[in-house]
Amino acid sequence: MAQERRMKILQAVVEDYIRTQEPVSSSGVASRHHIAVSSATVRNDMASLEDEGYLIKPHTSAGRIPSEKGYRYFVDQLSTIVPLSRPQRRAIEDFLKGSVSIDDVLHRSARLLAQITGQVAVVATPAITRSSLRRCEFIRLGTDTILTVIITDTGGVEQRTLTSSLARRDDFLSCLTQVVNSYCCNLSLRHSAQALQVHQQIILRDCLQAMDPKDPADIRRLSAAVRDCISHLVSIFEDLAHDSESYSLYTTGAAQLAHERHSQVENIASLLDALEEQIVIMHLMDNLAAAAQESGGTGVGVAIGSETHSPELLHTAIVTAGYGLAHPDSDSLNPDYPSASDQDKIDEHDSIAFVGSIGPTHMDYRMTMSAVQAVAQYLTRYLTDRS
């Protein structure tokens, strides 16, 4: 009973400090939260919470503030996220539905999230490593150069060049476009590379039929050129499938966070330094979103202070969630394609990117988690409707 009361008092202290950013007194907790004990008992419980590491007593104040451990307990008790109100959700949809492209909707999402939370918003573009191939085009650039244009189901476009003596053959380029899209459409890039290897002989046969060589020497020469072209294309798909920097980040809101009444200059400077290191932020938020998804809870991950494992983020908290749905590779479109296990069909994560908010450890966790979740859900619906 006493422990349950102490934890209720801890939650009250966290809520009050988030609201005021002022040390919280025992009398204030007793009067504002209707704790059915005396102020002296509340004071003793707060002293016990301090001994247990949940609260800190600033030396200049009689009140107490939450520690990192206190914030963690508070967040862990939020087993469900209270959704934004209907007007708030409608405002989000109204703001975002005028977007003209995937880049536009992601940029708008970052701006909107920053406005809602008053913190730094981070929105990652869909990772090509988790996207599926929608279409591939081959365009002659020069006598021996082919431009490969790869379009994914999330709207991503990648361009790569390959050198081939077949670049001048329109019949080859037309056939290659047809067979690659036939065997690779709706597959991840990793499985697209495997499909090209599995079907190499069929692709070779179809391309030779399209070019219709008569002389045995021409057949051997063209066969070698087709195999070389397929090999280069496999390498392109594999390189893209393992691109560790496949995300781009939209970030905004640092300026308004810097003008927050209780912001400390040194903490903001450290946060800005961390934002410059996009790879660090990318991996941190990506892993946090994935862990939250795998836990089966709210789907929203929170890292507080030292949990970020980054000195620059020691005085900040990060809230993030994945968005979008990675599509399993469809074996039914390619009956000769070797079956993959369910574990292999979706690579590591079910989402294709993430959205998040970075702010001080005294952020309004309930509101921030609700806002991040709402924006992530909207982006998931947006991408689903486009596919």
Side-chain angles (χ1 to χ4, degrees):
M1 185 69 177
Q3 182 65 16
E4 181 180 342
R5 185 185 65 240
R6 280 199 294 272
M7 293 301 102
K8 184 178 179 181
I9 290 172
L10 171 60
Q11 287 185 288
V13 172
V14 175
E15 290 173 356
D16 284 357
Y17 186 70
I18 287 174
R19 188 180 69 256
T20 67
Q21 280 88 66
E22 298 290 344
V24 181
S25 66
S26 57
S27 59
V29 171
S31 62
R32 282 190 296 270
H33 295 273
H34 308 292
I35 307 295
V37 293
S38 66
S39 294
T41 301
V42 174
R43 185 165 53 252
N44 290 336
D45 284 346
M46 290 175 67
S48 297
L49 289 168
E50 182 181 355
D51 292 339
E52 294 169 6
Y54 291 102
L55 298 177
I56 301 171
K57 184 176 182 181
H59 66 278
T60 58
S61 171
R64 290 174 174 83
I65 65 175
S67 66
E68 185 179 300
K69 182 179 179 180
Y71 285 123
R72 171 46 60 192
Y73 177 84
F74 178 81
V75 170
D76 287 346
Q77 298 310 298
L78 302 177
S79 56
T80 59
I81 299 176
V82 178
L84 298 179
S85 66
R86 183 170 297 179
Q88 287 174 318
R89 298 180 73 86
R90 188 180 300 116
I92 290 177
E93 296 193 5
D94 288 345
F95 184 81
L96 297 178
K97 69 181 181 182
S99 304
V100 297
S101 65
I102 181 65
D103 286 337
D104 187 28
V105 76
L106 296 180
H107 181 69
R108 287 179 179 229
S109 296
R111 284 168 45 207
L112 178 63
L113 186 57
Q115 290 172 8
I116 294 173
T117 63
Q119 299 163 175
V120 175
V122 179
V123 179
T125 60
I128 194 169
T129 55
R130 299 178 197 164
S131 302
S132 299
L133 183 69
R134 172 171 286 175
R135 185 160 182 83
C136 198
E137 297 285 348
F138 300 96
I139 303 168
R140 180 173 63 230
L141 282 185
T143 305
D144 296 310
T145 306
I146 300 173
L147 175 65
T148 303
V149 182
I150 298 167
I151 305 169
T152 70
D153 62 335
T154 55
V157 178
E158 293 286 337
Q159 298 182 1
R160 297 291 187 273
T161 59
L162 59 87
T163 301
S164 174
S165 60
L166 299 176
R168 69 198 75 178
R169 300 287 304 249
D170 290 336
D171 47 6
F172 167 72
L173 296 180
S174 176
C175 181
L176 185 64
T177 298
Q178 179 181 346
V179 294
V180 168
N181 286 307
S182 174
Y183 290 120
C184 300
C185 182
N186 295 326
L187 296 179
S188 68
L189 294 177
R190 179 165 66 88
H191 285 102
S192 293
Q194 293 175 355
L196 291 180
Q197 292 172 317
V198 168
H199 297 294
Q200 178 172 312
Q201 289 302 117
I202 300 175
I203 295 172
L204 173 61
R205 180 201 65 195
D206 291 349
C207 288
L208 287 177
Q209 286 178 351
M211 292 184 287
D212 194 25
K214 304 299 183 183
D215 185 86
D218 284 342
I219 294 175
R220 288 193 296 271
R221 176 178 59 81
L222 292 176
S223 296
V226 171
R227 288 194 182 94
D228 186 61
C229 193
I230 294 172
S231 177
H232 278 86
L233 189 55
V234 167
S235 296
I236 288 173
F237 283 159
E238 288 179 338
D239 288 345
L240 289 173
H242 295 91
D243 186 0
S244 62
E245 300 180 17
S246 58
Y247 287 127
S248 294
L249 300 182
Y250 290 94
T251 62
T252 188
Q256 62 195 82
L257 181 61
H259 288 96
E260 187 192 63
R261 182 165 59 95
H262 294 276
S263 294
Q264 295 183 330
V265 174
E266 62 272 18
N267 295 343
I268 293 297
S270 296
L271 173 57
L272 293 177
D273 288 341
L275 291 175
E276 288 295 320
E277 298 293 332
Q278 287 204 352
I279 295 297
V280 175
I281 294 292
M282 182 189 308
H283 287 301
L284 172 60
M285 300 188 82
D286 188 26
N287 291 335
L288 187 61
Q293 199 167 50
E294 292 168 3
S295 70
T298 62
V300 178
V302 180
I304 305 169
S306 62
E307 295 172 357
T308 65
H309 304 291
S310 174
E312 292 83 5
L313 300 174
L314 189 60
H315 301 286
T316 64
I318 292 178
V319 177
T320 187
Y323 73 84
L325 298 174
H327 300 293
D329 289 325
S330 175
D331 297 337
S332 62
L333 296 177
N334 302 290
D336 296 327
Y337 186 70
S339 296
S341 68
D342 290 340
Q343 185 69 28
D344 292 336
K345 288 182 181 179
I346 297 180
D347 298 336
E348 296 183 6
H349 306 271
D350 290 334
S351 60
I352 59 174
F354 58 84
V355 56
S357 184
I358 307 176
T361 53
H362 61 257
M363 71 164 60
D364 185 338
Y365 289 96
R366 280 197 180 95
M367 181 273 295
T368 302
M369 292 169 72
S370 295
V372 167
Q373 184 185 63
V375 173
Q377 289 173 345
Y378 178 89
L379 290 175
T380 297
R381 289 200 306 273
Y382 176 84
L383 292 175
T384 301
D385 291 343
R386 292 179 76 251
S387 61

